[in-house]
Every structure is written in structure tokens, then in C-alpha cells.
Amino acid sequence: MPRSPALARPARTLAERIEHDLSELWRGRPDGSFTHDEAVTLVHARMLGLIMDEHDFDPQVPQQIMDDLVADFAVHRLGAVQRALSADREKIDFLAELLAPVPELISAPIVDDGYLAVFSRQA
């Protein structure tokens, strides 16, 4: 099985290290099997990697919040020791504004009462 480009170079980030470590673990098993928890951890690591790549490209979020995100991932997915995080009102408001859905999503037909009837009727 060919390696992904991310695995062809040394892991730089926590997400890349997790993907590398899990891939090596699976390759080392006779049947290449993996557990559900390992698969979920890999998916979450890839999502974290995408978020970090986007941040590197267009840093709209302060580095401290990104560091908190990585630390939180390490705690919840890897069982790392939790460090104190300071979630003040300013950070929460900033993230809420940044993550607010665009108006087109809010006014999409899915919010109409007849959504299921319209989109599930036979053609």
C-alpha cells in the first residue's frame, strides 16, 4: 500500500505524528486491522491537521486558541494530562462569531416544515 504524502516526510505536528504512529501500528499487525477507537482517533487527527493547515494559510484565530485546541485534542483523544485553559468571554465570543453559519445555511429549505415532503417525494 503506498504511503500518503504526509507520511513520506517526518511528522511536524501532533496530527501528523498520530497518523504516522497509527499507520505503523496497523502495518505491524498481521491482518492490518484496527479498532473503532483507533479509526476515530485517526479521523479526528486528520480533522485537526486540516484545521491547523487552514490556520497556517489564513490565521484568523489567535495562536493561543490554536494551542488550546491541540492541547484539548491531546487530552480527549490521547489521554494526555490536562493543562489549565483560560476560557474568557472574549475568546468565546470571538469563536462564536468565527463559527457562525453563513445566512444562506440558516435560510436553506431544510428549515421549512415541508422539507421532508419536498425532498423525499418520488420524482
Side-chain angles (χ1 to χ4, degrees):
M1 181 166 125
R3 291 181 156 209
S4 76
L7 297 178
R9 58 178 163 65
R12 296 177 301 118
T13 66
L14 176 64
E16 289 174 354
R17 286 194 305 269
I18 292 167
E19 182 175 354
H20 177 268
D21 292 350
L22 285 173
S23 297
E24 292 300 315
L25 176 70
W26 299 336
R27 281 190 182 92
R29 292 181 182 157
D31 58 356
S33 66
F34 51 88
T35 66
H36 174 76
D37 191 51
E38 291 167 343
V40 169
T41 298
L42 177 63
V43 169
H44 288 174
R46 285 206 171 165
M47 288 187 299
L48 178 63
L50 291 172
I51 291 168
M52 293 169 71
D53 288 347
E54 181 65 23
H55 175 72
D56 290 345
F57 177 73
D58 183 16
Q60 296 182 29
V61 177
Q63 188 59 47
Q64 182 186 6
I65 292 177
M66 292 301 295
D67 294 344
D68 290 350
L69 175 68
V70 172
D72 190 62
F73 174 85
V75 167
H76 293 288
R77 292 303 318 158
L78 306 176
V81 177
Q82 189 163 2
R83 65 182 178 93
L85 303 176
S86 59
D88 57 37
R89 189 73 192 159
E90 183 179 314
K91 286 181 195 172
I92 293 170
D93 290 344
F94 173 78
L95 287 174
E97 182 180 329
L98 189 66
L99 298 172
V102 295
E104 294 81 4
L105 288 178
I106 295 172
S107 62
I110 196 168
V111 299
D112 294 339
D113 290 339
Y115 170 78
L116 286 177
V118 171
F119 289 98
S120 62
R121 71 175 179 240
Q122 290 183 349

